[in-house]
Amino acid sequence: MKILVCISNVPDTTSKINFTGDNKSFDKNGVQFVINPWDEYALTRAIELKEAKGGTVTVLNVGEADAEPNIRKALAIGADDAIRVNADPKDAFFVAQQIAAIAKQNNYDMILMGKESIDYNGSQVHNMVGEMLGIPSIVPASKLDLIDDSTARLEREIEGGKEVVEVKLPFVASAQQPMSEPRIPNMRGIMTARTKPLQVVEPVAGETKADYVSFSKPEKKGGVKMIDAENAGELITLLRNEAKVL
């Protein structure tokens, strides 16, 4: 079984976020990058399936050279090899085109990724990849098991309950909790990751569907007003006239 896991290189949630002078692009200076946390659920489940059923796990990233440390981390966690498409991940459609092109070349049985990336939160790529390849797309999945060599059972959370889906391979699925428990690479994994194959390929001709006009930070929170516990009238007035929640 051949499993492809797509990972994004995203800013750590503890990083201080800034934008360029014209507010049209993200400023990477001083920012620590990590594997997209949602993608780690997909990666860990893929490795668990490989350990139980055999096969290989390939990690794919559409990104520039600065993503390679986190690609190596994915290899240290347990992936067998990696591919980096040497391109700026401009938008979801462009990224999906690159993933679909790699998938067509290698005939994977399963394509997994996180339900969204924590930087843009678009939640679009998985469905686009499924459509481009003409295969089912199950999103987002909280559980994934193999029934046999040709069929998988996935569980999705839906309004008011859960939905269980059986699907023939190949398919695309996006992962969310509690599909797996993300792993921390051990020393042996870190050492072996250095020699695992990491292939860098140029992107296929693609197009973008979206341009970012501008970015802005949330407005700073205002000061806190302390109201005496016995002065309920003033509190009601402030909630009505200033906060406008009454």
Side-chain angles (χ1 to χ4, degrees):
M1 178 173 294
K2 297 171 63 177
I3 305 175
L4 180 68
V5 179
C6 308
I7 65 171
S8 297
N9 193 48
V10 300
D12 192 320
T13 53
T14 62
S15 297
K16 186 176 180 180
I17 302 301
N18 289 301
F19 304 107
T20 55
D22 57 4
N23 288 326
K24 289 187 176 182
S25 60
F26 174 63
D27 186 356
K28 294 183 179 181
N29 291 321
V31 174
Q32 178 70 36
F33 282 80
V34 298
I35 299 173
N36 178 45
W38 295 114
D39 296 335
E40 288 197 76
Y41 291 108
L43 174 61
T44 305
R45 187 59 186 141
I47 294 168
E48 291 171 348
L49 291 172
K50 180 191 77 167
E51 292 170 346
K53 304 289 186 179
T56 60
V57 174
T58 299
V59 169
L60 171 62
N61 170 261
V62 180
E64 298 173 314
D66 58 3
E68 291 195 4
N70 281 322
I71 298 174
R72 289 290 178 191
K73 181 181 177 182
L75 292 171
I77 291 171
D80 297 286
D81 62 303
I83 301 170
R84 180 174 67 82
V85 178
N86 188 33
D88 177 16
K90 302 171 184 177
D91 75 343
F93 190 78
F94 176 82
V95 170
Q97 287 176 306
Q98 306 309 315
I99 295 172
I102 295 294
K104 287 176 182 177
Q105 294 172 13
N106 295 282
N107 297 316
Y108 295 101
D109 298 293
M110 199 181 301
I111 302 172
L112 305 179
M113 62 191 77
K115 70 171 187 176
E116 61 187 358
S117 61
I118 64 169
D119 47 5
Y120 291 101
N121 300 103
S123 194
Q124 301 176 72
V125 172
H126 30 67
N127 285 323
M128 291 180 179
V129 172
E131 182 68 20
M132 291 174 183
L133 296 175
I135 60 177
S137 176
I138 297 90
V139 298
S142 56
K143 191 174 181 180
L144 166 60
D145 293 298
L146 287 173
I147 299 175
D148 54 41
D149 291 340
S150 63
T151 309
R153 179 182 288 120
L154 299 96
E155 188 175 283
R156 302 191 320 131
E157 294 182 0
I158 59 173
E159 187 76 25
K162 295 180 180 179
E163 178 183 72
V164 177
V165 179
E166 290 187 4
V167 61
K168 294 291 185 182
L169 280 58
F171 64 89
V172 178
S174 68
Q176 67 173 20
Q177 292 172 295
M179 181 177 283
S180 63
E181 185 66 33
R183 298 181 180 183
I184 298 173
N186 56 33
M187 184 55 66
R188 181 182 178 184
I190 293 170
M191 297 299 291
T192 58
R194 297 177 181 177
T195 58
K196 288 182 178 180
L198 196 172
Q199 181 185 7
V200 179
V201 300
E202 292 305 310
V204 298
E207 59 179 320
T208 59
K209 297 291 187 180
D211 290 319
Y212 297 102
V213 177
S214 66
F215 294 94
S216 62
K217 295 182 180 181
E219 293 184 8
K220 293 183 178 180
K221 295 181 179 180
V224 177
K225 291 186 177 181
M226 305 298 293
I227 307 299
D228 191 283
E230 297 180 356
N231 196 354
E234 183 181 356
L235 175 60
I236 292 171
T237 299
L238 289 171
L239 291 174
R240 179 181 293 120
N241 298 332
E242 290 193 17
K244 299 187 185 300
V245 296
L246 296 178

